[in-house]
Amino acid sequence: MAAEKIIRCRLIPKGYCVNIFGTVWARDISWIDRYVVNHERIHTAQQRELLFLPFYVIYFIEWLFRLVQYRSVHRAYLNISFEREAYTHGRDLTYLSRRRPYSFLRYLRRPRRD
Ligand SMILES: [Zn+2]
């Protein structure tokens, strides 16, 4: 599973993980497979491009916009451009080797996820 550091944390809801500055935090790590790790690696690439802190600010602001747009907490989350990119390519383990910088920008407008 490579270099990702996965830290157990009881504060994270079950079945979720959070990527904090390239480190993955989760309550229970049993469900974290190579595709989840790849999803999180995509987020780490996005974070590096935005010098980390602005990633979280933009992520939250976009989530607020998506919440107004979709009126669903979960659908708002799925449709944040960072998540659209990570969910679209999470199962493609070679994606990061050919990904172009700032690719998440292409997901601001599409594809919509339900
Ligand atoms: Zn994600």
Side-chain angles (χ1 to χ4, degrees), residues 5-78:
K5 208 165 191 178
I6 301 172
I7 296 175
R8 289 181 172 204
C9 177
R10 287 170 170 260
L11 297 175
I12 310 297
K14 199 175 178 185
Y16 287 88
C17 60
V18 179
N19 186 328
I20 302 170
F21 301 109
T23 303
V24 178
W25 298 66
R27 175 185 292 243
D28 166 30
I29 62 171
S30 63
W31 61 279
I32 297 179
D33 60 17
R34 59 191 175 148
Y35 303 117
V36 176
V37 169
N38 197 46
H39 178 108
E40 295 307 324
R41 279 184 184 158
I42 294 168
H43 284 320
T44 301
Q46 296 163 342
Q47 290 173 10
R48 281 202 193 106
E49 287 160 355
L50 292 170
L51 308 177
F52 292 96
L53 214 54
F55 169 89
Y56 299 98
V57 175
I58 295 166
Y59 188 105
F60 180 67
I61 290 170
E62 190 180 349
W63 178 77
L64 289 177
F65 274 96
R66 300 294 182 192
L67 193 57
V68 171
Q69 184 179 11
Y70 293 106
R71 300 189 182 278
S72 153
V73 168
H74 188 66
R75 285 182 68 206
Y77 152 76
L78 288 175

Side-chain angles (χ1 to χ4, degrees), residues 71-99:
R71 300 189 182 278
S72 153
V73 168
H74 188 66
R75 285 182 68 206
Y77 152 76
L78 288 175
N79 283 283
I80 296 168
S81 56
F82 301 118
E83 295 298 347
R84 283 176 171 175
E85 181 188 12
Y87 278 110
T88 299
H89 300 287
R91 298 189 79 80
D92 177 356
L93 299 177
T94 64
Y95 174 68
L96 274 173
S97 64
R98 56 193 156 72
R99 176 184 181 268

